[in-house]
Amino acid sequence: MSALSSNALVAVIGAGAMGAGIAQVAAQAGHPVKLYDNRPGAAAQAVAGIDRQLGRLVEKGKLQPQAREAISARLQPVEAIETLADARLVIEAIVENLQVKQQLLQQLESLCAEDCILASNTSSLSITGLAAGLQRPQQVVGMHFFNPAPLMALVEIVSGLATAPAIANTLYETAKVWGKKPVHTRSTPGFIVNRVARPFYAESLRLLQEGAADCATLDALLRDAGGFRMGAFELTDLIGHDVNYAVTCSVFEAFYGDFRFQPSLVQKELVDAGRLGRKSGQGFYSYTDGAERPPAAELHSQASTECCVVEGQLGALHPLVARLRDSGLAITERAGNGLLRVGDATLALSDGRLASQRAREDGLRNLVLVDLALDYQAATRIAISWSADTSAEARDQAVALLQRAGLKVTGIADLPGLVVLRTVAMLANEAADAVLQGVGSAADIDLAMCAGVNYPRGPLAWAEQLGVGHTLRVLENLQASYGESRYRPSLLLRRSAEQGANLHD
Ligand code: NAI
């Protein structure tokens, strides 16, 4: 299946933030583009805005002046929808309202040629529902860009029940030619990104609610250990709590109240208070002039450590051994069950049990649990938690060991799965369920999370690196600790662990 030819006319309807961005992308790819908005003058204003954006690219040396002229010449604002009749592809980016979008699609169907592709940029409405009642529902497809469209690489190509595979494939290939990273997905709540990303926010909100640590500390851990660009609190402050909470509520309702997607009372309270984040001057953090971000909590140890013992394979934690060795520590390796011993302390990667529970069940004295890091060689901070009967001296020795390797060490309350491990396990769980339910392929889901929300690694690839069996154990232990269906492991994880198969197989 091939892409639309670059001389095919593309019509964009809705000249807001998304419509203008999409029009720019299509024009930059060489298409003649007509932009229409039912607010008089809005399309012309948007085209002028795009030209200014292109001007900035010229100033920065990223675009030739002739290219700017050519792109702007291809963009035509129009004031009458009838002028879109000769479009080969129409992309609507109007108000997020099912009835209004349906009416528009009906009008377009009678206006445009039979083979015209009718695409919607909706982020939450069903493509199946949008196409229902049309004469040619097979022509309707989701083309979900991310904001800002000219910069964000991901485009979700969403097939509804009636969408013709050839139409979805043509748009997929077209998006590629436009320099985007398209993925195929089905019309299910949240598509890929808005579904799979829910636990990123939800687990931090829950950790905050349960007193694991403060916002700044949890954010720092997701950044400095997890490798995410932002923590969940700074990110939701940026997105706006009204917007982020509404997306969570809509996905929760669309899944008939599945507790996996349960919204947070902590976030609802911010919305109720009008603390919407950056745009209102206050969210989890203050954005008033001169407001300073509180520092992340950190433990300091004066204990001196010269040696440690590695017993068996530490699993995903093993790369830390090389870092400890590089810091000049004497390391003894011997057989065992994946434990790291220093002085009186025993360190281990969390398996999702409380430290106190694991210490009792496994008969481990002075247990200190270590969180997951994206890359133990590159991380700058790591979280630990410890059992109620771990002595202060032993904890100090564990902190000293990690400090010696150049890590900042943050202590958090004894909660199952710490911070990064629990977040990654839940992201992988949601991604696995989406694969199981045919929402997308494992490769497309990983790509979507990296290109759409800048995750440092696809959740499924991350689970494979952590070990599918270990990821499953973390979720089982979370579920046992909380007794909630929210943490129930996806059947795909269980099946892959049973079969010893990778999630991308
Ligand atoms: P916006 O409010 O900035 O722009 C919407 C534009 O559509 C306005 O200019 C409005 O005058 C026009 N419009 C409304 N009804 C119309 C109609 N019947 N006919 C013609 N024009 C009409 O909205 P935004 O943010 O650009 O979103 C547009 C669509 O894109 C929505 O479906 C939204 O869910 C989706 N989306 C938004 C993202 C975002 O981050 N803002 C990201 C991805 C998708």
Side-chain angles (χ1 to χ4, degrees):
M1 197 59 56
S2 54
L4 284 179
S5 118
S6 67
N7 54 29
L9 176 68
V10 174
V12 179
I13 306 187
M18 292 309 294
I22 296 166
Q24 180 181 334
V25 170
Q28 279 181 315
H31 291 271
V33 178
K34 286 183 179 173
L35 182 59
Y36 167 74
D37 196 291
N38 68 355
R39 229 170 355 110
Q45 225 176 15
V47 168
I50 297 168
D51 186 58
R52 277 196 302 277
Q53 291 286 343
L54 297 173
R56 267 179 228 130
L57 293 181
V58 172
E59 277 164 26
K60 287 186 197 159
K62 292 184 176 170
L63 190 71
Q64 293 296 318
Q66 305 90 304
R68 171 193 182 178
E69 273 172 38
I71 295 165
S72 291
R74 286 196 286 272
L75 279 160
Q76 186 189 353
V78 298
E79 288 292 320
I81 196 165
E82 290 71 23
T83 57
L84 308 181
D86 47 349
R88 284 280 296 108
L89 164 66
V90 183
I91 306 170
E92 73 76 18
I94 66 166
V95 59
E96 187 78 341
N97 176 301
L98 182 72
Q99 282 78 33
V100 181
K101 284 193 196 281
Q102 273 176 333
Q103 258 171 22
L104 175 69
L105 289 171
Q106 271 162 20
Q107 193 180 2
L108 289 168
E109 193 175 47
S110 54
L111 187 68
C112 300
E114 271 193 13
D115 62 350
C116 176
I117 301 175
L118 302 176
S120 171
N121 185 50
T122 181
S123 41
S124 65
L125 300 173
S126 154
I127 297 300
T128 302
L130 282 176
L134 292 188
Q135 302 289 318
R136 297 188 295 277
Q138 70 276 10
Q139 297 298 113
V140 178
V141 58
M143 193 175 196
H144 185 213
F145 287 83
F146 288 72
N147 194 10
L151 296 183
M152 297 299 290
L154 182 68
V155 180
E156 291 179 325
I157 306 293
V158 189
S159 289
L161 199 56
T163 307
I167 296 289
N169 287 335
T170 300
L171 268 203
Y172 180 93
E173 295 301 328
T174 303
K176 257 195 194 165
V177 172
W178 292 3
K180 297 297 178 190
K181 290 184 176 166
V183 293
H184 280 295
T185 183
R186 286 203 302 119
S187 179
T188 51
F191 310 140
I192 294 175
V193 169
N194 279 335
R195 170 187 182 159
V196 176
R198 299 314 338 133
F200 181 76
Y201 315 109
E203 290 311 305
S204 278
L205 285 161
R206 188 135 208 203
L207 286 162
L208 181 70
Q209 192 174 27
E210 294 176 355
D214 58 37
C215 300
T217 302
L218 293 168
D219 274 351
L221 286 166
L222 283 176
R223 273 194 323 264
D224 303 349
F228 291 94
R229 287 224 185 136
M230 285 192 206
F233 303 111
E234 50 196 344
L235 180 55
T236 46
D237 267 7
L238 180 68
I239 294 169
H241 290 286
D242 49 344
V243 173
N244 188 261
Y245 179 69
V247 175
T248 304
C249 289
S250 110
V251 174
F252 179 60
E253 280 157 27
F255 279 106
Y256 304 108
D258 186 334
F259 281 109
R260 274 232 185 105
F261 305 104
Q262 189 182 39
S264 165
L265 287 175
V266 173
Q267 193 173 33
K268 179 175 188 298
E269 193 168 30
L270 286 186
V271 175
D272 288 347
R275 296 187 177 190
L276 304 181
R278 275 176 192 264
K279 63 186 172 190
S280 73
Q282 174 77 50
F284 284 111
Y285 301 106
S286 169
Y287 297 92
T288 50
D289 273 351
E292 278 183 24
R293 192 67 68 86
E298 197 179 328
L299 295 168
H300 297 278
S301 168
Q302 303 302 327
S304 77
T305 321
E306 295 306 326
C307 58
C308 65
V309 178
V310 175
E311 294 181 350
Q313 283 298 314
L314 303 186
L317 189 59
H318 214 78
L320 181 65
V321 177
R323 185 161 173 176
L324 290 169
R325 191 172 282 119
D326 290 347
S327 72
L329 273 166
I331 296 181
T332 307
E333 297 197 49
R334 61 184 182 220
N337 293 330
L339 300 171
L340 180 58
R341 310 239 190 215
V342 58
D344 294 332
T346 301
L347 289 85
L349 176 67
S350 167
D351 66 3
R353 279 179 288 175
L354 293 168
S356 298
Q357 179 192 357
R358 183 161 168 189
R360 179 177 51 76
E361 288 178 353
D362 295 1
L364 296 170
R365 282 188 55 241
N366 290 321
L367 180 63
V368 175
L369 293 181
V370 182
D371 199 4
L372 181 66
L374 172 71
D375 174 356
Y376 286 100
Q377 291 283 350
T380 55
R381 178 187 301 277
I382 197 78
I384 59 168
S385 62
W386 50 88
S387 164
D389 59 7
T390 295
S391 72
E393 293 74 30
R395 192 189 70 204
D396 227 30
Q397 288 162 336
V399 173
L401 179 80
L402 296 166
Q403 276 179 353
R404 172 83 186 249
L407 286 156
K408 291 180 184 150
V409 185
T410 291
I412 65 158
D414 186 13
L415 287 163
L418 285 92
V419 178
V420 178
L421 179 63
R422 166 180 177 149
T423 303
V424 168
M426 284 296 277
L427 289 170
N429 202 35
E430 202 47 57
D433 243 20
V435 174
L436 185 69
Q437 294 165 8
V439 175
S441 68
D444 271 2
I445 289 174
D446 270 359
L447 171 64
M449 302 316 290
C450 294
V453 269
N454 294 318
Y455 285 3
R457 182 177 293 146
L460 296 166
W462 211 335
E464 281 167 355
Q465 198 214 16
L466 177 60
V468 177
H470 193 87
T471 309
L472 176 66
R473 234 177 352 268
V474 169
L475 291 160
E476 285 171 341
N477 287 328
L478 278 163
Q479 191 188 16
S481 293
Y482 283 104
E484 284 178 43
S485 64
R486 169 190 177 106
Y487 294 104
R488 68 187 187 276
S490 166
L491 183 71
L492 182 67
L493 289 179
R494 196 175 295 284
R495 194 167 65 196
S496 303
E498 290 288 345
Q499 297 173 344
N502 267 337
L503 298 164
H504 288 84
D505 289 349

